Amino acid sequence: ILAKTLNVHYNHLSQIINEKLKLNFNDFVNKYRIEEAAKRLKNPANSKKPVLEIAYETGFYSKSVFNTAFKKFTGMTPSQYRKEKW
């Protein structure tokens, strides 16, 4: 959708992301998902919501993929992040 919106071939868009941002396409997308998940984890309105539910809400379909991506971009697990941000 992004490539179409920008009117470029998806391979070219992926190459630009790789070269300029030093991220592969999955990491590029996951970075935004993790940013949203982090906002939700530190929002008091979500304090009772399980971490896995937030993972699903932000586009992840696997707990392990979410945990791995979260740690990659924040340096801590989602549970650690939630505890530290409270």
Side-chain angles (χ1 to χ4, degrees):
I1 294 170
L2 180 58
K4 191 178 236 182
T5 301
L6 297 172
N7 198 29
V8 297
H9 193 273
Y10 66 90
N11 286 339
H12 184 66
L13 176 60
S14 183
Q15 180 183 358
I16 292 168
I17 291 168
N18 284 324
E19 291 175 3
K20 302 295 181 186
L21 302 177
K22 308 294 185 218
L23 296 170
N24 65 42
F25 187 76
N26 284 338
D27 284 343
F28 174 75
V29 172
N30 284 343
K31 181 176 178 259
Y32 289 101
R33 289 177 176 163
I34 294 302
E35 287 174 4
E36 180 59 28
K39 285 181 201 173
R40 292 180 187 206
L41 285 169
K42 63 184 176 182
N43 183 339
N46 294 322
S47 64
K48 300 283 190 228
K49 191 177 281 192
V51 171
L52 189 56
E53 186 174 343
I54 291 173
Y56 292 148
E57 290 174 352
T58 54
F60 288 91
Y61 297 102
S62 160
K63 180 180 180 179
S64 63
V65 171
F66 174 68
N67 286 337
T68 300
F70 199 95
K71 189 158 189 173
K72 179 177 186 171
F73 289 106
T74 67
M76 59 186 86
T77 67
S79 296
Q80 290 170 330
Y81 184 86
R82 178 180 257 174
K83 286 177 188 173
E84 185 175 298
K85 298 303 173 180
W86 283 92

